[in-house]
Every structure is written in structure tokens, then in C-alpha cells.
Amino acid sequence: MPRNVKSLNGAGFSVSVLVSVGRHPLTARARRADHDARAVEMALSLNDASVQLIHAGDNDTASEEALRGYLGMGVSGVKRIEQASNADVVPALTNILRFAAPQLVLTGTRAETGEGSGLVPYLLAESLGWTVVSGLAEIESIEQGVATVLQALPRGKRRRLQVRLPAIATVDSSAPAARQSAFGPARRGELTDCAYASVIDELQTQWHIQPARKRPKRLKIVKSASARDRFKAAAAKADSGGGQLLSDVTPEQGAEAIFTLLKEEGVLR
Amino acid sequence: MDGKCSAQGWVYSALAEVCRRGPAAKATRDEVSTMLNTLLPILIFTALALAAIGAVRRMRLWRQGRPSPVNLLKGLAAMPRRYLVDLHHVVGRDKMISNTHVATAGGFVAAAVLMILVHGLGIANPLLGGLLLLASTSMFVGSLFVARRRLNPPARLSKGPWMRLPKSLMAFSLGVFLVTLPTVGLLPDGLLEGSGSWLLALVLAGVVAWGLGEMFFGMTWGGPMKHAFAGALHLAFHRRAERFSTKKGGGGRSTGLKALNLNDEAAPLGVEKPADFTWNQLLGFDACVQCGRCEAVCPAFAAGQPLNPKKLIQDMVVGMAGGSDAGYAGSPHPSQGIGGKPVGEHAGSPHGPIVALEGKTLVDADTLWSCTTCRACVEECPMMIEHVDAIVDMRRHLTLERGKTPNKGAEVLDNLIATDNPGGFDPGSRLNWAADLNLPLMADIKQVDVLLWLGDGAFDMRNQRTLRALIKVLRAAEVDFAVLGAEERDSGDVARRLGDEATFQSLAKRNIATLAQYRFLQIVTCDPHSFHVLGNEYGELGGHYEVRHHSTFIAELYDAGRLTFAPWKGGRVTYHDPCYLGRYNGEYEAPRNVLKALGIEVKEMERSGSRSRCCGGGGGAPITDIPGKQRIPDMRMNDIKESGAELVAVGCPQCAAMLEGVVDASAEVRDIAELAADALVERPAGDASGGSRRPAATTMTAEEVIV
């Protein structure tokens, strides 16, 4: 679905996509990360946009293979900022984004390796002072420095948003699937190295990391005689009961409501 | 082809010129003879000169292709044998056409040579003249049969210029016959006397000129006779020289795809434009005689999928020469809804893309993805054209350069890259189906007689039944075997046939490295695709193995007296030959021998053995899933129904899956291993060492393995 993009002042519309090295859930092999690849796909489907891929991270053969997976989608190059494995990539990315000054930054919702907290786009937006949009399903149009996008909400719902650019948007599995990565373009594409000193993530060094333990799932006991009830119970989605929708409230009121909720849930004490 | 008319016109004007010089008044017999004697050499050498120019032009078209290492002299020396033995072995499957071709082509070659001697060089030797009369008679008789076939031609034959060929053949043979009569003095007196005689001579010369135009000039300028010129050279410079038999015997089968050199970054990844084919592939396309035997056997064509192998080859010829396919006069590529894709809308050039990025060029992508790589067309082609090679070459470009593998293709390739199996299953779960069987692992025992290659059927519940049956048979015969277990990967068959040579080579190299760690005498597999790839395609990458299909192995075990079967009590049984076992590897007998050993008398289908119809499961066709008007397995099940069988024995997981997928099937689908396992009879204890049992040639280490 190529989208028409009318950029400001007729100059080329530039999109940067932040890509990471993914990890296959079954075999743990390095690969292009699914969400990041969808972000690349979304960028490539914008007509006449100049797409730039940026990666900050390790620099070994496995990760090079994975990055070439993005190149195989038909991108000519990836800018690679080598960072130590325990580095915080946000300063390096902030630096390059400030320098490249794209109108839109796309990235996956969270990395498949490392911390995978999904916080990078928010930290970047904070340090750059840009808007951040999560869960982009589609970019409908970009006109006069304002992007009209569809944001994916749970259960297939969509919300139309207008976002003033520059902005950072994250893409998850509601976005269109990434195109096939072809061997030829992947082999020809260039990985350009940019230097930026690693800023060691001090906090992370203190963490103790261990493999997640599989926790037993609570079985749902369905007490009903009819097949229809059992089917309904099996097909039912988790109900989000007890929530409240706040609209047209001041930021203070909103913050107060969130604060109250977090206290109720025991997140904050 | 365009130049043909004008050049023919030129011949006629030359003729007219010569006639003008001849006596306008009453001609005598001598004058007529003189006129013919003047005219014929001019005609013959003009035609030969034009043919030579055309030949050079045609060769330049072929040389647009990439280089291919061929020993030219050796090829030319081998050509007569390849023509007389290998080609006629294929043509001879249709005796009528075979005899027709012998009479016509043999007569023509002899007549052409003799005519050049007798009429061209004026060696009016009555012996040569007599031979020439014989040759032209033979050719004329042949051309009568050619004409008869063209009276009500089957749909597979191309029409257009091909319809005039019998007339041209007759013109040549009759013309040559008549102008030769004076040479041997066999001329009725008074025939060439009188006022009409020079007219008669002129008509004769005209007939000869027509014949020469078609046979010499048309041969190199793109007429129907092009097949003789290009075909002869194609046989000589074929890129699979090992396909042909030699005097020492052997040879005759070369079915493995040729590897791409991925280390050479300058080499194209597959074929984007006609000039990306090797020159001898282009030459091969030009050899096509448009007989449509490929079309008649193609399962995709019969299913109404948009592929007609004959049209595809002609598309390549169009691309090589540049232009549109408007001149094509055979059945088009089928198309959904309408009878066929309209001809004339596709065009190409030697250096233009074959498959368009957008719109249409020479060929539509779905044409290439319809092929099941069943090789029926290659097996049937009297000109030894390699359709499947060409299709895979073009697929390679689509996959490796464009990333345009249709439908589930991309997902399957991603799975193969990430999990080494097309289904994306956890590689560690490859042996889950055999949890209770205690299969010995190569990793534990290192050395074994038989390495049992499971194939990706290990993840498929239907094929797991076959595998369990096979293991029961192997254990009953006390075979020393082991499996690779989780170390086994997909053989790379699907990846390669979907055009992903890179993934194929990656899988193949890792499999070869794994196999190199262990010692075994042979590999046995129940998957003909793995069999073919391991046996015929790993060699180029450094893996040489003795591979056997399980039916071959079971047949050998039975012959060695290591298996005893209870007599068959079921109904009528037919056998479906898997393409990758039969046409790819020539194994038609062993499965039938096993069935015979089981006491089954096979009710053969009309299309069986080398002409077996594909189940539709090869070449990644179920993955790319190009729509047609019917499904290939449904057609095959219909064949089975027509044989009257209640059960069809198969020897391939793909065939089993495809045929079992038929709704309302008239026959049950069972693998040969299952039939054998069901019929196993426990051997009496005393019989173990005696009887017909011969000591196996292999080192018996079975006793050491406690299973």
C-alpha cells in the first residue's frame, strides 16, 4: 500500500528506521527482528520517501547477517554504530538522529534481545523533544508536516491520530508483514560504520539476569452443560472490567487518576 | 522471419532474370536442360549462401548468452550418435512419427548432399542421380505422412508456418526428383518438347526454389526447419553432456540442478533477461520443434494453470531474438476464466527483463511458479530441451534478486533459514514422533551400515506413520541403522526449487559437514526428494553418498531373504511413480518388485513409469499455489480411479499428502513401507541363518547395536 507523502517545501521526506538484531524464538538464531522489519516495510511503502536504516549495537558476524536481512528488503545501506554489548544505545541514537534530522523515525515496539523493555523510543523522544506514537498500524498521509496515522488498539480497533512531525513511532505486529528479504540486495547492501563512544549502562551492569521460568497456567474451569457456552468461554477474550475512560481532563487530573490506579494495583506503595 | 519473404522474392526475381536470358522462342529439349543446368546451381548456391548468412546471424543470437564450458569438437563428434541413438530413443516412443522422421529427414539430408553434388557442382553421374532419386522418393513418402498428420492435427501441434511444412517438404522432394530425371536419362520422350516445355522447366525451377527456400534458407532464418539446424548443434553442445549414452553404455541420466557460484559476486543470481542464459541454453530453446509433447504431459497445463512448456520455450526464443509473441501459433499459456492468455500482448528483448516488475514483458511470474519440476516435459522432449533448468534459473532471479517468491514461499524460506525445516518447527522436535522407538542416533554410535534419512516428513503426522512402518521393516530385517535425529536438516530441495540457491547451499553444506562426522555405507530415505538431492545434487558441493530409496532397499532385503511377507488379501492396487524417484532417478522397478513380493499384482495406470503424471507436490508448487481450473492431485486420483484400483501405493511423502488431500477419493493411499510392514511375517527362529538368506555384502555390525 504505497502512501502518497507530500512533504514540507517539496523537499524529500526522510524517514529513519531504527533496526535491531532479532532472535528467533525457537532456535535463537540472529535474524531481522519482526517488529523492526515491519517498521522498515512501513517506511518502504511510503512513496518518494528517503529511507535510512540505523542500528546501534554489537558488531559481530551473526549480527551482520541479521542486518543484511533488512538490506535484502531493498534498502541500499544501514548505518551501524558500534556499541559495547552493555552500552546504553540511547545517547548514540540521539546523537545520530539529531544529526540526520529525519522527519519521522520508525522502530519496532521492543527489541527481541537484550533488555527488550521497549523504552528506547520513549527515551529518544524525551531527549530529542519529539512526539512519540506507539503501535502504528498504518500511515495514511503526511501533509504539511502533519502525519495522519492509524494506531492499533487491542482487539483490532484502530484510532486515527494526527501527529506533528518530527515524531518517533513504534510498530508492532498489527502493521503489515515485512516483505521477503532477497539474497542479492542483502549481499550488495552496504553497512556503513559510524563511531560513537559507548556509554555503559551502569544500572544494567548491576542486574542479575537469568532465564525466565515457565510458570504454570491457571486452567479455566468452565462449568456449563451446553456446547455453546463452552465455546463462548473458550473463545472469550479477557474482559477489561473496571476501567474508566477519561477524556477532556487536564494533565493533572489524568496524572492523579493514573497515580490512584497504580496505588490500587499495588504497583506504587 | 521477416527477411524471408523478401529473400524469397529475390530468389524468384533471379529466376525470372535467368528465364529472360533464356530463349523466348520455342525451346528444345536441350535448351530446357541447359536452362535447368544453369538455373539449378544458381538456385542452390544462392540458397546455401543465404543459409550461411542466416546461420551466422542465428549464432550471434545464441552468443548473446553467457559462456558455458563445452568441448566443441568432442560435442560435434558425439552429435551423430546423440541424434541417432538418444534422440531417436525419445522420438521412437511414437513409432509412426519416428518412421516418418527417418524417411523425411534421412531422405532430405541425403537428397541435399547429392543435389549439391549433382545439380550444384554438375557431377551428372547416373549412380549419384539414382541415389538422389531414391533419397527424394524417401523424403516424399515421409512428407506424405507429415501431411497426413497435419490433416487433422492434435491440439498440441503448432499451426501457422508449421502447416505449410509438409507442402514445402513435398515441393523439395518432388522438385528434386523431377529435375534429376534427365540426369539418369529417365525422361519420357517428348515431355520437354513443344512450346510448353520451358514453362514446365520454369515451374520445376520454381518448385525447387520453394523447396530450397524452406529447407535451406528457412532453416537458418527462423522457419520451421530451424529445428534441424539448431537441434543438431544443440545436441552437440548440450550443457548436460552426461545425459547422452556413450558407446561404453551408461549415461543417460542427468537430473540434478546446476549450482550457482555464490562466491562470484559479479555473476548474475539466476536469469533476469534472456541474455543471462548460457549460450547453449539459448541454442536449446531455438531447437524446439513445437511438437507439443511437453504440453501434452505437463500437469500444470492440464490443470489449467498458466504454464505451457512449449509456449514458454517459444517465449524464450522471442526474447532471444527480440519482438512479441504474436507469431506464435500453438496453444497459449492457460488462463483462469478464459481459454488462454491472449497471444501478442507479451514482448521482450535479449537484454530486457523476462518477468516485468510491473505490467507485462515476456513471461508472467505465475507461469514460472506453476511448474512442479516433475520433468515430464524434459523426459518427453525429442529435442532434449531442459525446461526445468530454465524455469529454476528464472525463479532464482525472482527469489534471490527480487524477493518475490509468491504466496507462502517467503514464509517457507524464512523458516528454512531460521529453523532448518519448511514448517518452522523446533528442530529439536524432529524425533518426537519416535519417542517410544529408541532410535539409535549417529551421534552416539558414529558408525553404522544404514543411515536412515528421515526428511521433513518427520514433522508430518501422515508421514510419521510411514516412518514408523519403515522402521518396523528395518528392524524385522535386522538392519544396522541409525538416524541423525536433531542434527538432520531439510535437504534443501524446496529451497532450491523455489529458486533460493543461497539457502539450499547453506543447508547442503551444513548437512554435508554433519554427514562427514560419521561413517555409514549408505543412506536410505523414504523421501525421493531427499534421495535426489542427497544423491544427485550434493556431489557438486562435495558430498558423495550412496543413497537408496526405501523401496529399493526393501526390495534388496527381500531378495536377500531377510523379509517374509504374508500374501496380499486386499483389493486391486495401482502404483503411482513419484517424479523424483522415477524420472529423476530411473527407479521404476524396485517399488513394483516390492509390491510383487507382497503378492500384489499392480494394475498400471495409463500414465505410469516414465510417463507418470505428477501428484502436484513437487517444486514447491503446493507452496506457491498458483490457481488453475482444477487441482493436479484430483486429476491423478482420477487416473487411479480409471485403473480400477481401490488402493494406490506411493513412495513419497509429498505424493501421499497430495493424493490424501483429494476429496471423495476413490482409492486409499498407502506408502510401500506401510504395505510391507502390515504384511510382515515373523521369520521362524531356525530360518534366521539358513534358507535363501545370503550374507549381506555389508559388514554386519547389527549385533553390536542393541535397539
Side-chain angles (χ1 to χ4, degrees):
Chain A
M1 276 181 299
R3 292 285 158 194
N4 288 322
V5 176
K6 285 183 199 155
S7 60
L8 282 166
N9 314 323
F13 185 79
S14 71
V15 186
S16 288
V17 188
L18 309 181
V19 294
S20 61
V21 174
R23 176 188 153 102
H24 192 269
L26 285 176
T27 55
R29 287 185 197 163
R31 60 162 190 178
R32 51 177 182 157
D34 180 55
H35 290 178
D36 291 347
R38 286 172 193 260
V40 175
E41 176 65 42
M42 190 173 280
L44 290 176
S45 66
L46 296 170
N47 273 351
D48 305 323
S50 78
V51 179
Q52 187 184 38
L53 266 52
I54 300 169
H55 167 75
D58 277 357
N59 192 2
D60 55 20
T61 31
S63 67
E64 172 162 346
E65 281 298 303
L67 291 179
R68 291 203 175 275
Y70 297 108
L71 293 172
M73 296 170 74
V75 192
S76 57
V78 172
K79 281 210 165 106
R80 180 169 58 177
I81 316 164
E82 192 181 345
Q83 296 277 289
S85 56
N86 56 353
D88 180 4
V89 296
V90 172
L93 290 174
T94 309
N95 177 60
I96 197 168
L97 286 177
R98 196 167 275 148
F99 183 74
Q103 277 125 307
L104 182 64
V105 176
L106 292 173
T107 187
T109 300
R110 66 176 65 208
E112 292 175 0
T113 54
E115 207 173 309
S117 63
L119 275 180
V120 169
Y122 294 94
L123 295 172
L124 281 175
E126 186 185 34
S127 61
L128 291 164
W130 294 359
T131 321
V132 64
V133 188
S134 68
L136 216 61
E138 193 182 329
I139 297 173
E140 290 191 319
S141 70
I142 295 172
E143 274 172 18
Q144 306 293 324
V146 175
T148 311
V149 301
L150 285 186
Q151 186 184 38
L153 298 176
R155 296 199 231 169
K157 280 188 194 152
R158 296 288 183 267
R159 174 159 61 187
R160 183 167 288 123
L161 297 175
Q162 293 209 319
V163 187
R164 178 151 293 280
L165 302 178
I168 298 179
T170 68
V171 169
D172 64 15
S173 47
S174 6
R179 66 190 62 182
Q180 189 175 353
S181 175
F183 175 79
R187 188 171 68 173
R188 278 191 304 272
E190 279 186 41
L191 296 169
T192 331
D193 285 311
C194 315
Y196 192 85
S198 301
V199 178
I200 304 301
D201 189 344
E202 294 296 345
L203 222 65
Q204 201 190 0
T205 51
Q206 297 162 18
W207 291 358
H208 172 68
I209 294 175
Q210 64 180 41
R213 231 187 2 200
K214 267 194 179 169
R215 278 187 292 182
K217 264 187 198 162
R218 190 179 292 275
L219 286 175
K220 254 193 289 180
I221 300 164
V222 183
K223 284 181 190 157
S224 61
S226 85
R228 184 170 178 273
D229 288 348
R230 281 196 300 275
F231 178 78
K232 270 174 75 182
K237 299 241 170 66
D239 275 332
S240 56
Q244 52 173 319
L245 186 67
L246 298 175
S247 53
D248 299 327
V249 292
T250 63
E252 285 75 22
Q253 285 168 320
E256 185 64 37
I258 293 170
F259 188 70
T260 319
L261 180 73
L262 291 178
K263 279 213 142 176
E264 273 171 20
E265 297 288 329
V267 179
L268 293 178
R269 280 174 212 175
Chain B
M1 274 176 273
D2 295 337
K4 183 156 171 47
C5 298
S6 62
Q8 240 173 8
W10 187 87
V11 172
Y12 286 121
S13 54
L15 196 66
E17 179 60 33
V18 174
C19 299
R20 220 172 293 127
R21 266 187 253 144
K26 187 181 167 190
T28 66
R29 179 176 168 167
D30 280 349
E31 281 167 334
V32 169
S33 292
T34 318
M35 192 175 85
L36 277 178
N37 287 344
T38 325
L39 257 178
L40 285 173
I42 294 175
L43 281 177
I44 289 168
F45 288 111
T46 309
L48 280 177
L50 286 171
I53 295 169
V56 172
R57 284 172 54 112
R58 209 75 210 168
M59 286 177 196
R60 286 175 62 177
L61 287 183
W62 303 330
R63 290 199 39 172
Q64 298 174 111
R66 289 189 301 120
S68 169
V70 171
N71 189 331
L72 298 183
L73 289 178
K74 222 171 156 185
L76 283 173
M79 193 253 282
R81 187 190 157 83
R82 290 178 182 179
Y83 173 75
L84 293 169
V85 178
D86 299 283
L87 184 139
H88 262 280
H89 176 72
V90 181
V91 180
R93 291 177 202 157
D94 184 341
K95 279 281 171 274
M96 211 278 285
I97 287 306
S98 165
N99 294 337
T100 302
H101 195 257
V102 168
T104 320
F108 165 67
V109 171
V113 172
L114 289 165
M115 181 184 69
I116 292 168
L117 294 178
V118 173
H119 297 297
L121 303 174
I123 309 170
N125 182 328
L127 176 71
L128 289 181
L131 287 174
L132 180 49
L133 285 182
L134 265 179
S136 53
T137 311
S138 153
M139 184 179 167
F140 183 74
V141 173
S143 61
L144 286 178
F145 281 93
V146 179
R148 201 185 75 169
R149 189 166 77 142
R150 288 277 161 187
L151 278 181
N152 191 10
R156 63 181 171 87
L157 289 178
S158 286
K159 316 292 185 300
W162 296 88
M163 294 307 280
R164 71 160 195 258
L165 184 61
K167 294 172 202 135
S168 307
L169 291 170
M170 282 190 225
F172 183 87
S173 50
L174 202 63
V176 170
F177 184 85
L178 291 177
V179 296
T180 310
L181 285 179
T183 318
V184 286
L186 277 176
L187 203 61
D189 278 339
L191 182 73
L192 286 182
E193 281 167 20
S195 59
S197 62
W198 67 267
L199 192 69
L200 184 67
L202 209 59
V203 169
L204 266 184
V207 170
V208 172
W210 174 12
L212 284 172
E214 182 77 272
M215 305 305 290
F216 285 12
F217 172 76
M219 186 179 278
T220 59
W221 288 79
M225 283 307 293
K226 182 187 72 178
H227 80 272
F229 167 59
L233 294 179
H234 169 56
L235 286 180
F237 309 139
H238 202 284
R239 81 197 269 260
R240 290 179 180 273
E242 54 292 359
R243 260 192 84 170
F244 301 98
S245 62
T246 54
K247 280 199 193 83
K248 294 170 206 138
R253 181 155 282 108
S254 164
T255 53
L257 291 172
K258 296 200 184 282
L260 276 185
N261 180 5
L262 296 175
N263 297 324
D264 179 7
E265 299 211 6
L269 298 169
V271 166
E272 177 190 13
K273 41 195 196 287
D276 285 340
F277 284 111
T278 63
W279 66 270
N280 47 4
Q281 278 180 298
L282 292 178
L283 166 59
F285 302 145
D286 229 6
C288 175
V289 67
Q290 299 195 39
C291 64
R293 286 166 78 158
C294 50
E295 170 186 323
V297 295
C298 178
F301 181 81
Q305 288 174 281
L307 167 65
N308 176 352
K310 178 175 87 171
K311 171 74 165 58
L312 182 73
I313 296 301
Q314 287 311 307
D315 288 342
M316 297 301 114
V317 174
V318 165
M320 172 179 75
S324 97
D325 64 348
Y328 175 72
S331 328
H333 294 304
S335 175
Q336 280 224 287
I338 47 174
K341 290 194 178 181
V343 168
E345 291 181 358
H346 290 75
S349 65
H351 298 284
I354 292 173
V355 178
L357 285 167
E358 276 171 20
K360 284 178 186 171
T361 47
L362 206 53
V363 174
D364 297 333
D366 54 3
T367 294
L368 302 177
W369 295 112
S370 296
C371 176
T372 67
T373 68
C374 75
R375 252 186 113 77
C377 50
V378 184
E379 184 76 22
E380 202 67 3
C381 179
M383 304 307 289
M384 311 276 182
I385 298 170
E386 296 282 347
H387 311 63
V388 175
D389 282 4
I391 287 173
V392 173
D393 278 341
M394 291 184 274
R395 284 183 178 185
R396 282 174 175 170
H397 173 76
L398 295 182
T399 295
L400 293 175
E401 282 293 352
R402 295 201 194 159
K404 293 267 185 220
T405 321
N407 289 332
K408 289 282 173 191
E411 190 185 319
V412 165
L413 294 176
D414 274 349
N415 285 340
L416 282 168
I417 292 167
T419 64
D420 301 334
N421 65 73
F425 300 104
D426 181 357
S429 67
R430 192 174 273 269
L431 277 189
N432 282 6
W433 58 277
D436 58 335
L437 292 178
N438 287 323
L439 293 183
L441 288 176
M442 286 307 290
D444 298 335
I445 57 177
K446 310 287 183 203
Q447 184 175 346
V448 79
D449 285 355
V450 169
L451 190 153
L452 181 64
W453 186 272
L454 301 171
D456 291 313
F459 294 106
D460 172 54
M461 291 174 84
R462 170 66 184 87
N463 191 239
Q464 287 165 6
R465 299 212 309 262
T466 306
L467 286 170
R468 292 181 76 92
L470 178 58
I471 282 157
K472 189 178 165 193
V473 173
L474 294 180
R475 289 205 162 142
E478 291 167 13
V479 176
D480 172 32
F481 75 95
V483 297
L484 286 170
E487 284 187 290
E488 187 185 305
R489 296 167 193 85
D490 176 87
S491 62
D493 166 71
V494 171
R496 186 166 232 198
R497 267 139 269 271
L498 286 178
D500 193 346
E501 182 73 4
T503 302
F504 164 73
Q505 290 194 10
S506 155
L507 287 166
K509 282 176 184 158
R510 285 179 289 149
N511 275 328
I512 290 169
T514 303
L515 291 170
Q517 297 168 24
Y518 305 119
R519 290 181 63 198
F520 49 89
L521 295 172
Q522 55 181 324
I523 299 174
V524 171
T525 177
C526 68
D527 175 13
H529 294 260
S530 302
F531 169 31
H532 168 67
V533 172
L534 288 166
N536 300 330
E537 297 191 344
Y538 276 18
E540 213 177 341
L541 302 170
H544 301 273
Y545 312 106
E546 175 84 24
V547 193
R548 276 183 172 67
H549 185 244
H550 69 310
S551 64
T552 316
F553 193 64
I554 294 173
E556 283 175 5
L557 290 176
Y558 178 79
D559 287 345
R562 290 166 71 178
L563 290 173
T564 319
F565 297 126
W568 175 248
K569 290 205 186 70
R572 279 163 299 181
V573 176
T574 190
Y575 171 66
H576 164 75
D577 287 275
C579 310
Y580 277 73
L581 182 63
R583 277 187 291 270
Y584 274 81
N585 287 291
E587 185 59 278
Y588 303 112
E589 287 312 310
R592 290 180 169 80
N593 289 342
V594 174
L595 292 173
K596 204 169 142 198
L598 291 166
I600 294 170
E601 192 195 333
V602 177
K603 295 261 173 204
E604 292 290 357
M605 285 181 265
E606 192 190 327
R607 285 181 58 176
S608 64
S610 67
R611 280 184 163 165
S612 168
R613 199 209 293 261
C614 179
C615 69
I623 297 160
T624 55
D625 199 22
I626 304 298
K629 74 174 192 294
Q630 56 185 330
R631 292 174 70 246
I632 296 173
D634 291 353
M635 297 190 302
R636 191 55 174 163
M637 191 50 89
N638 215 31
D639 292 352
I640 295 164
K641 190 178 181 181
E642 279 169 13
S643 78
E646 292 141 12
L647 187 147
V648 55
V650 295
C652 170
Q654 290 286 343
C655 299
M658 296 306 283
L659 293 175
E660 284 210 330
V662 174
V663 178
D664 253 356
S666 55
E668 199 186 340
V669 181
R670 303 295 299 277
D671 193 277
I672 283 188
E674 293 178 287
L675 295 174
D678 288 353
L680 274 180
V681 176
E682 199 111 344
R683 268 200 317 272
D687 192 38
S689 56
S692 62
R693 182 169 178 183
R694 294 191 296 265
T698 59
T699 51
M700 289 300 295
T701 50
E703 285 74 18
E704 297 163 18
V705 182
I706 297 141
V707 288

